Amino acid sequence: MAAAVLLRGTAPVRGGSVWGLRLCAVPRRRLTHSAARPSSDNAIASAWTCFPLSDRALLRVRGPDSVPFLSGLLTNELPLPGPGDGTTQPSARVGYAHFLNVQGRTLYDVILYRVQEHAAVTGFFLECDISVVGTLRKHLMLYRIRRKVEVEPCPELDVWAILPSTPEAQGSQTLQEKAEGATILVADPRTACMGWRLLTPRENSALHLVPGSCHGDLRDYHKHRYRQGIPEGIRDLPPGVALPLESNLAFMNGVSFTKGCYIGQELTARTHHMGVIRKRLFPVQLSGSLPAATIEPGTSILTESGKAAGKFRASEGNVGLALLQTEKIKGPLHIKTSENGHVALTASVPDWWPKARPHCLYIVALLMESWDKGAAS
């Protein structure tokens, strides 16, 4: 299948392009680097690390009513470009969103890949935590009612994350977004520091598709996520517990405050317009005597004086995520473990948080001011 580049660059935004495609067999072609990069194999030998995301899976949603069906369930606008003009193929787009319950709490986080199977039928791949494929499908079927929609697992495709191998490469290394057959390569829609997402048939390896790349350990991918403060899956976003705005969904391009109604919208919209979010999910560094077993999710995090500051969420090694009161992140924090241990936590404010957005500016300015004062004291 012939293909043409629609978008280049590493700065993913809501509505960033990926190619339209029809599912079919695909030869093992290499997904080339941008022409701006040196063509020497030595120059790109260590540019990218490919992580097979064995804890992520795909659902395929397709049918004439798939767009209005999903629109009533998701926090975000569906990535919907205009139809093709007859001479160019309709594009596909990628987005990030949450499914919420009626109380406005997160059930499932998904990355959506829109595919135009042919002119009259739009479909989507929903990337989700592999442990909730069955429950997410049941959730979708519950609300399908009479809509002409099919929901089915897609085990024939694997999900990969592709990250620059060095921090210096983050701003300089660029891949081309493209799709060939059932293979999709697209910039991660949440934030540029999360690199790229690749969907490919199970028999194809990302190492064959990205020249000169190396295979990464899944644990290193999760450590990278936690350092950047990116939640993913039910460990980080426990179903029915996590609130989307406390989980920084707005920072990750995952919610629209102008779209029509969806399940859980009322509480989310009210919280946004009130402009008060007292707790947020922060990246944390752990130090001290880490317990032999993992720290239990929901474990209380305490200030130096013993007052509650938040709850531990998840970790990989000595980095993780914690839901913390924003006014208490600058002080010494710790966890008392079941083994009578004492684990210190240091919270940080991620550099990628969108400081320039009007609805985020005031909050982030206060956090940075508090952080600077704490560092100076």
Side-chain angles (χ1 to χ4, degrees), residues 233-253:
I234 62 172
R235 278 209 333 167
D236 305 338
L237 300 166
V241 175
L243 287 167
L245 298 187
E246 289 183 352
S247 304
N248 303 319
L249 184 62
F251 291 177
M252 295 185 288
N253 306 309

Side-chain angles (χ1 to χ4, degrees), residues 82-331:
D85 60 9
T87 60
T88 59
Q89 190 177 28
S91 65
R93 296 177 186 259
V94 64
Y96 177 64
H98 285 189
F99 289 94
L100 308 182
N101 63 17
V102 293
Q103 289 80 30
R105 296 183 180 270
T106 294
L107 289 176
Y108 315 104
D109 65 304
V110 294
I111 296 178
L112 297 100
Y113 307 85
R114 179 188 188 274
V115 293
Q116 195 74 29
E117 297 185 341
H118 53 75
V121 177
T122 297
F124 295 87
F125 289 129
L126 306 185
E127 179 198 322
C128 63
D129 191 303
I130 194 169
S131 65
V132 301
V133 170
T135 54
L136 176 54
R137 184 171 183 269
K138 289 179 181 178
H139 178 75
L140 294 173
M141 297 298 286
L142 176 66
Y143 290 98
R144 186 181 64 166
I145 309 177
R146 296 180 181 178
R147 293 193 184 272
K148 297 178 181 179
V149 173
E150 296 179 10
V151 182
E152 55 191 359
C154 193
E156 67 271 19
L157 295 183
D158 284 337
V159 182
W160 296 73
I162 302 177
L163 298 174
S165 295
T166 62
E168 294 76 16
Q170 175 68 48
S172 60
Q173 298 291 344
T174 303
L175 295 175
Q176 295 177 2
E177 294 192 0
K178 62 171 55 181
E180 295 178 355
T183 298
I184 301 174
L185 177 68
V186 61
D188 193 303
R190 296 170 292 185
T191 174
C193 66
M194 287 306 297
W196 297 73
R197 243 17 186 213
L198 173 65
L199 308 185
T200 186
R202 181 145 293 178
E203 65 273 12
N204 289 357
S205 168
L207 302 183
H208 293 91
L209 298 170
V210 181
S213 60
C214 60
H215 195 283
D217 189 310
L218 182 60
R219 291 171 294 184
D220 292 330
Y221 166 77
H222 290 309
K223 288 180 180 178
H224 173 77
R225 279 200 306 107
Y226 288 147
R227 290 189 186 100
Q228 300 298 333
I230 303 291
E232 185 177 280
I234 62 172
R235 278 209 333 167
D236 305 338
L237 300 166
V241 175
L243 287 167
L245 298 187
E246 289 183 352
S247 304
N248 303 319
L249 184 62
F251 291 177
M252 295 185 288
N253 306 309
V255 60
S256 169
F257 298 107
T258 59
K259 67 170 289 187
C261 294
Y262 58 88
I263 293 175
Q265 180 189 34
E266 183 178 356
L267 176 62
T268 305
R270 184 168 68 246
T271 302
H272 166 71
H273 291 297
M274 289 176 61
V276 179
I277 302 174
R278 294 186 174 87
K279 293 182 291 183
R280 285 193 178 273
L281 208 56
F282 287 94
V284 292
Q285 181 86 27
L286 309 176
S287 58
S289 301
L290 296 179
T294 57
I295 300 173
E296 288 295 322
T299 299
S300 293
I301 297 173
L302 307 174
T303 65
E304 190 173 26
S305 62
K307 293 183 179 179
K311 300 287 186 180
F312 179 79
R313 189 60 64 80
S315 67
E316 183 68 55
N318 64 346
V319 291
L321 294 173
L323 185 67
L324 299 172
Q325 298 175 34
T326 56
E327 62 182 16
K328 295 181 179 178
I329 65 168
K330 64 178 181 179

Side-chain angles (χ1 to χ4, degrees), residues 18 20-22 32 55 100 167 203 240 244 264 287 300 317 332 339 350 363 372 375:
V18 62
L21 71 157
R22 185 190 302 274
T32 58
D55 53 1
L100 308 182
E203 65 273 12
S287 58
S300 293
E339 302 170 350
I363 295 171
D372 292 339

